[in-house]
Amino acid sequence: MLVLTRKVGEGIGEGIKINDDVKITVIEVKGKNIRLGIEAPKTTKIYREEVFLKIKEENKIAASTPAKQTVLTSAEYDTRHYLMPQEKIEKA
């Protein structure tokens, strides 16, 4: 982990580069709060950590939940699986 230390008023507007396409800039320091600006391609997903963890947890739950299955009557099954496309059109 890279840790940078700045005094109040120092480093405002200075950035940190990540690869060629991401830049993090200290925008403002106010008391215990620090505002950061992040410049990145629109395809780069950027989340606060607590939001990212919530998304991961919801995805994990969704992946472990069985998909809803559709039950077909025998007539629907026959129509969908045994008739050729032309026969489906003529039957309708």
Side-chain angles (χ1 to χ4, degrees), residues 12-69:
I12 304 298
E14 292 183 12
I16 300 167
K17 289 292 286 182
I18 300 173
N19 292 327
D20 292 329
D21 55 356
V22 178
K23 180 179 179 183
I24 300 173
T25 306
V26 177
I27 303 296
E28 178 182 27
V29 178
K30 189 184 281 186
K32 294 182 179 182
N33 296 315
I34 300 170
R35 291 183 63 209
L36 300 174
I38 303 170
E39 295 176 49
K42 289 184 180 188
T43 56
T44 302
K45 296 176 183 178
I46 302 170
Y47 302 103
R48 294 187 326 257
E49 185 175 19
E50 66 274 13
V51 172
F52 177 74
L53 294 174
K54 181 74 173 167
I55 291 169
K56 278 183 64 174
E57 181 62 27
E58 289 177 4
N59 287 342
K60 183 178 177 182
I61 291 168
S64 65
T65 303
K68 183 179 176 183
Q69 296 181 354

Side-chain angles (χ1 to χ4, degrees), residues 60-77:
K60 183 178 177 182
I61 291 168
S64 65
T65 303
K68 183 179 176 183
Q69 296 181 354
T70 304
V71 178
L72 301 176
T73 66
S74 60
E76 290 172 321
Y77 184 83

